Amino acid sequence: MFPERRMRRLRSGKIKDLVRETSLSVNDLVYPIFANETIDSPQEVASMPGINNLPVEMVADEAKEAADLGIPAIMLFGIPEKKDEQGSSAWGDDDVVQQAVREIKNELGKDMLVITDVCLCEYTSHGHCGMVNFDTEEIMNDPTLPLLGKTAVSHVKAGADMVAPSGMMDGMISAIRSALDNNNYHNTPIMSYAVKYSSAFYGPFRDAAGSGCCFGDRSTHQMDPANSDEALMEAALDIEEGADIIMVKPALPYLDIIYRLKTEFEMPTAAYNVSGEYSMLKAAAQNGWLDEKQVMYESLISIKRAGADMIITYFAKEMAQMLK
């Protein structure tokens, strides 16, 4: 009891560092990059200050800049020149992501871990994550699975170190694991967007990737924000199907979910600090309402404290510079 017990004794100087429970390292960071084959110079995303769409030939330079800061991994997204109902520009040997992977690997080799997003929403003319029955406007689950498998194989064939399926189709991990194994990519890990909520925080990303829906929304395959027990079931199914890393997306509104998954499964757990989380802090900082560096650090350390082993974040380069 006070005055014998004084908690403030451990909150000053170097003592504070010694007793800190959670640490944030550059090794915890994954940096998302947008490769766009429709442009020939960088184009800043209007709703994401500081984040650019990059021509394919410039993605290796961006990855090298991240590597020079000590960031160990990038998450690669592609914006194709041509879109169709199937999203067929997702799996060609010379399509945008496949070209970008080769550019990065030719430049950096093993110095950068390349993770590729596996979904069809950036490649379909309708903007949905799977095949569509236009008569009923249903996002069709099972016909989408072989296309995701084919896309994952094409990414790994180009040199990707890990694939990250994000479409929230039932059975997608099993389909991708089988496709990889059948092509002798037994050692390629899968980072599953196991718990991806139907969230309004994705808005700026959809501006960046040109993946907005032409009808409806994604609520029939992404999770209801009101549910948490369902997250455990989703993650358990993906683990059974062969996921090596499970992810929660978004991060800040779902810290409780990160904690529950890490506690329940005790396996590598990622969190995606998404575009809306990034943009709202940037906007507040630009208006002088918040100290950008402080809220960036506080946000990311909260994600780590909740249980995330790695954080995919658009703040990665700024955070790496700050940690240095």
Side-chain angles (χ1 to χ4, degrees):
M1 297 290 290
F2 179 82
E4 287 76 18
R5 185 63 170 167
R6 293 177 179 266
M7 297 298 291
R8 292 178 58 184
R9 289 173 183 151
L10 302 181
R11 292 178 185 161
S12 61
K14 293 296 181 182
I15 295 174
K16 185 176 181 179
D17 297 335
L18 286 172
V19 300
R20 180 170 288 131
E21 298 171 24
T22 305
S23 62
L24 184 65
S25 162
V26 69
N27 290 322
D28 301 324
L29 306 176
V30 179
Y31 180 50
I33 293 178
F34 296 100
N36 188 329
E37 66 178 351
T38 71
I39 59 176
D40 55 16
S41 61
Q43 292 185 1
E44 186 174 54
V45 181
S47 54
M48 298 177 70
I51 301 298
N52 293 313
N53 266 301
L54 297 171
V56 172
E57 59 271 16
M58 293 185 68
V59 293
D61 294 335
E62 185 76 355
K64 186 177 186 306
E65 187 175 323
D68 289 343
L69 289 167
I71 297 168
I74 60 113
M75 176 83 82
L76 189 60
F77 297 89
I79 297 94
E81 185 174 358
K82 296 180 180 178
K83 301 187 179 192
D84 58 31
E85 289 183 6
Q86 277 199 317
S88 58
S89 293
W91 57 76
D93 288 343
D94 293 315
D95 283 328
V96 57
V97 165
Q98 293 78 0
Q99 291 182 58
V101 169
R102 287 194 292 269
E103 291 277 343
I104 295 167
K105 283 299 178 181
N106 287 339
E107 176 72 24
L108 296 172
K110 294 182 179 180
D111 291 336
M112 177 57 72
L113 182 79
V114 177
I115 308 167
T116 56
D117 178 79
V118 178
C119 191
L120 300 181
C121 62
E122 295 136 70
Y123 306 91
T124 54
S125 53
H126 46 74
H128 282 291
C129 302
M131 298 301 92
V132 170
N133 180 330
F134 287 98
D135 291 333
T136 61
E137 294 191 347
E138 176 192 358
I139 315 303
M140 297 187 292
N141 193 93
D142 294 10
T144 301
L145 299 181
L147 303 184
L148 296 176
K150 184 158 54 170
T151 300
V153 168
S154 73
H155 290 181
V156 178
K157 183 180 177 183
D161 300 294
M162 184 187 300
V163 293
S166 62
M168 289 294 284
M169 296 292 118
D170 292 341
M172 67 180 183
I173 303 303
S174 178
I176 290 171
R177 185 73 270 162
S178 295
L180 292 173
D181 290 350
N182 290 339
N183 285 273
N184 294 317
Y185 296 124
H186 304 282
N187 293 322
T188 300
I190 298 174
M191 174 192 286
S192 172
Y193 288 66
V195 180
K196 182 177 179 180
Y197 283 89
S198 181
S199 172
F201 282 92
Y202 305 147
F205 172 89
R206 290 173 184 157
D207 291 341
S211 60
C213 305
C214 65
F215 66 87
D217 57 28
R218 292 173 170 85
S219 61
T220 64
H221 52 282
Q222 295 177 0
M223 280 185 54
D224 183 343
N227 294 352
S228 59
D229 290 343
E230 183 186 358
L232 299 182
M233 291 186 280
E234 281 279 10
L237 287 168
D238 282 6
I239 293 166
E240 289 173 8
E241 292 177 21
D244 302 283
I245 300 170
I246 53 175
M247 185 201 298
V248 176
K249 180 182 181 185
L252 292 176
Y254 300 97
L255 295 177
D256 60 318
I257 306 301
I258 298 169
Y259 178 80
R260 288 192 70 182
L261 261 63
K262 186 62 179 178
T263 302
E264 177 74 18
F265 299 110
E266 298 182 335
M267 70 176 293
T269 302
Y272 202 139
N273 179 223
V274 300
S275 59
E277 299 170 57
Y278 171 87
S279 294
M280 68 181 183
L281 296 187
K282 280 285 183 179
Q286 287 180 350
N287 278 283
W289 298 336
L290 295 172
D291 182 308
E292 182 176 340
K293 287 186 177 181
Q294 293 299 318
V295 294
M296 172 180 67
Y297 175 78
E298 188 174 342
S299 297
L300 297 182
I301 200 72
S302 75
I303 298 168
K304 187 79 187 297
R305 190 183 65 243
D309 300 293
M310 61 205 80
I311 304 170
I312 301 125
T313 178
Y314 302 96
F315 283 119
K317 289 200 301 183
E318 291 169 86
M319 193 70 248
Q321 290 167 341
M322 183 173 165
L323 291 170
K324 272 192 164 186

